[in-house]
Amino acid sequence: AGFMGPIYGWRSPFLVVSIPALIVGTLVMTTVKDPIRGGSENIELLNTNIIEETKDENTPRNNSITNGERYSIHQEIRNSEDSSHDRGEEMQSVSSEDENKCQSCFSLLKPSTYASHLETTKALLKSKSVILTLIQGAPGCIPWGIVNTFLNDYLSEDCGLSIQAATIVILMFGLGNFFGMVIGGTAGDYLYKKDPRYPALLSGTAAILGCIPLWILVNTTNVEDKDDDDGDGEQAYLGVMARAGFTAILGGIGSGVTGPIVKATLQNVTLPNARGQAFALLNTFDDFGRGLGPVFVAALIVDLGGRQTAFNVGIFGWVLCGIFNLCLFFTVKSDEEATKRNFLIRYGPTGTVENL
């Protein structure tokens, strides 16, 4: 937008920005296969001692389910997800497709339809790790509101960069964010194999340290501070751009590490049939933060009398995000073990995904 807008008008970027999304969407649709939900749970469980611990608890599963009559994970998940259809199975005997659709619409109005989803939500919110992964996103979205909404204009209007130069700085931040996500995914997986608690230390520390480059970018980028009397104005301008771009990359790396680790943590502390609802809650909290982030920053600008001071306060949201991530260190291991134990109780130690 910073390159095309001044030349071709503000409408042109909206047309161009959809092209990468269409290309990536087509590639995903044609090359990626949907993973089987719960398909790897039994593999992970066989490498733990929880199976033996569960046997000692004398749960009804050991007495009532044998190898010949146990349920498959896939069937259990499907039964859980399609419970609303099972309750209305007698009403769906009408062969007309239009009438079936009408009945499905009416079933959405029944309170019983949402009973299982409400119980799943209650169960999710009993986990401390789930609560921490949800609430960490709200303050973490405030600095994103600064970066996505205000930073480009701030660099060009208040710091003396051109629109194109400010756009390049934001692009460098996005590049650093990409590297941060790769680092978060790779290093998080490595640390998880050492101890399930270690990825939380990485994500929390990275979020807090990511504030420092962004604070430097906001407070030190100023072309007007350079002396142009020596005839090296252009060189000084390029120096400011290079420093701002490098700082933006470092800030992007710090901001990108947290996302993959948080999502992996949320997956590890929830049962397969509840993960869709858990990630829906996570996205809701993130979207809520993204929506209110710019509003909150705009209010700070008015109250504090300037964008620089408001940005310094808003960036502190990543510190809060990092603290919540660090708190996962104390909860994630016990919550993950409890999830595996509940998985065994529900599906059995030899549960596999069958009957696709």
Side-chain angles (χ1 to χ4, degrees), residues 151-170:
L151 189 57
N152 195 320
D153 184 72
Y154 172 78
L155 293 174
S156 61
E157 295 295 332
D158 295 20
C159 299
L161 296 180
S162 65
I163 296 177
Q164 290 80 4
T167 302
I168 292 176
V169 173
I170 301 300

Side-chain angles (χ1 to χ4, degrees), residues 52-237:
E52 297 299 328
E53 296 176 4
T54 307
K55 288 182 179 179
D56 295 336
E57 295 176 359
N58 295 323
T59 58
R61 171 187 54 79
N62 294 322
N63 298 327
S64 60
I65 300 179
T66 65
N67 290 335
E69 61 186 3
R70 64 176 174 78
Y71 289 109
S72 67
I73 295 175
H74 179 77
Q75 190 61 40
E76 280 287 332
I77 296 173
R78 177 171 292 181
N79 289 343
S80 175
E81 293 176 342
D82 296 342
S83 58
S84 61
H85 291 285
D86 293 338
R87 287 191 294 269
E89 185 176 358
E90 294 180 359
M91 297 179 60
Q92 294 179 356
S93 59
V94 183
S95 58
S96 173
E97 182 179 354
D98 293 337
E99 292 182 0
N100 287 338
K101 291 182 179 179
C102 184
Q103 290 174 0
S104 299
C105 293
F106 281 119
S107 67
L108 295 176
L109 302 177
K110 296 180 179 180
S112 59
T113 303
Y114 304 96
S116 61
H117 297 289
L118 182 61
E119 292 300 322
T120 301
T121 302
K122 291 180 179 179
L124 288 172
L125 296 180
K126 291 179 181 179
S127 171
K128 295 179 182 178
S129 296
V130 171
I131 294 176
L132 287 172
T133 56
L134 294 179
I135 62 177
Q136 62 84 33
C141 287
I142 296 175
W144 279 109
I146 296 174
V147 173
N148 295 329
T149 306
F150 299 101
L151 189 57
N152 195 320
D153 184 72
Y154 172 78
L155 293 174
S156 61
E157 295 295 332
D158 295 20
C159 299
L161 296 180
S162 65
I163 296 177
Q164 290 80 4
T167 302
I168 292 176
V169 173
I170 301 300
L171 181 62
M172 293 298 101
F173 185 91
L175 181 64
N177 183 255
F178 169 76
F179 289 135
M181 289 189 290
V182 174
I183 294 172
T186 305
D189 181 66
Y190 173 80
L191 293 174
Y192 178 82
K193 294 176 181 178
K194 300 292 183 180
D195 192 303
R197 298 171 296 178
Y198 291 167
L201 296 179
L202 174 61
S203 62
T205 303
I208 294 173
L209 293 180
C211 297
I212 298 176
L214 200 55
W215 272 322
I216 294 175
L217 180 64
V218 168
N219 292 281
T220 65
T221 304
N222 196 337
V223 176
E224 295 177 354
D225 288 343
K226 297 296 180 180
D227 187 9
D228 295 337
D229 295 338
D230 56 1
D232 295 333
E234 183 177 354
Q235 185 177 357
Y237 182 81

Side-chain angles (χ1 to χ4, degrees), residues 228-286:
D228 295 337
D229 295 338
D230 56 1
D232 295 333
E234 183 177 354
Q235 185 177 357
Y237 182 81
L238 293 177
V240 173
M241 272 196 60
R243 186 181 63 184
F246 179 73
T247 306
I249 290 177
L250 294 179
I253 292 175
S255 67
V257 172
T258 304
I261 295 178
V262 166
K263 291 179 174 62
T265 300
L266 185 60
Q267 178 173 323
N268 291 335
V269 297
T270 53
L271 289 170
N273 65 308
R275 285 172 186 160
Q277 207 157 334
F279 278 92
L281 289 173
L282 178 65
N283 291 331
T284 299
F285 273 77
D286 285 347

